[in-house]
Amino acid sequence: MSGALKRLVPLFDRVLVEKAEAITKTRGGIVIPEKAQQKVLQATVVAVGPGARNNQGQHTPVTVKVGDKVLLPEYGGTKVEVEDKEYFLFKENDLLAKLES
C-alpha cells in the first residue's frame, strides 16, 4: 500500500475499494471491444472506516476488512483518484455481498 493511500482513511462506515480489471480478451484470444465489456462489479477492500453509531448511540463496527472481495452495485460510489489509481468509496450498507474464497 502506498504512503498516500495509507493516509486516506474513510470516515464512519465507509469502505474504500479498488475495482477488479475488466476482462478484455476471451480464453480463445479474441479481444473484446470496450463498448461490449461488462461493468466490473467485483472489488477488493483497500481501507475501512471505524464504523458508525446506531440510533441508541452504540458503536457498530464495519463487517468487512482490508483484503476482502466484495460485490458492488452497478451504480453508485464516489470516485477517488490517488497517485493515478482509481478507487471508489461506498457506504458499507451499499455493498451487496462479501465474496469468500
Side-chain angles (χ1 to χ4, degrees):
M1 187 185 296
S2 68
L5 193 55
K6 285 183 182 178
R7 291 190 305 262
L8 182 63
V9 179
L11 297 176
F12 304 111
D13 62 341
R14 294 205 169 51
V15 178
L16 185 69
V17 298
E18 181 177 10
K19 286 188 177 182
E21 294 292 322
I23 298 172
T24 58
K25 193 184 273 191
T26 64
R27 288 185 185 162
I30 299 171
V31 177
I32 301 172
E34 196 170 308
K35 286 194 172 206
Q37 292 175 9
Q38 293 180 343
K39 282 193 161 221
V40 178
L41 299 179
Q42 290 185 6
T44 302
V45 176
V46 178
V48 295
R53 299 232 178 248
N54 61 16
N55 292 340
Q56 290 77 32
Q58 299 167 333
H59 182 261
T60 306
V62 180
T63 57
V64 294
K65 59 185 182 297
V66 174
D68 284 348
K69 304 269 189 222
V70 293
L71 190 62
L72 303 173
E74 192 168 349
Y75 300 103
T78 303
K79 187 165 129 179
V80 178
E81 286 192 31
V82 178
E83 295 179 351
D84 297 329
K85 286 190 86 174
E86 207 172 77
Y87 299 96
F88 290 85
L89 267 173
F90 285 91
K91 288 193 90 168
E92 183 189 25
N93 59 359
D94 289 341
L95 301 176
L96 301 177
K98 180 175 158 182
L99 304 172
E100 296 187 3
S101 4

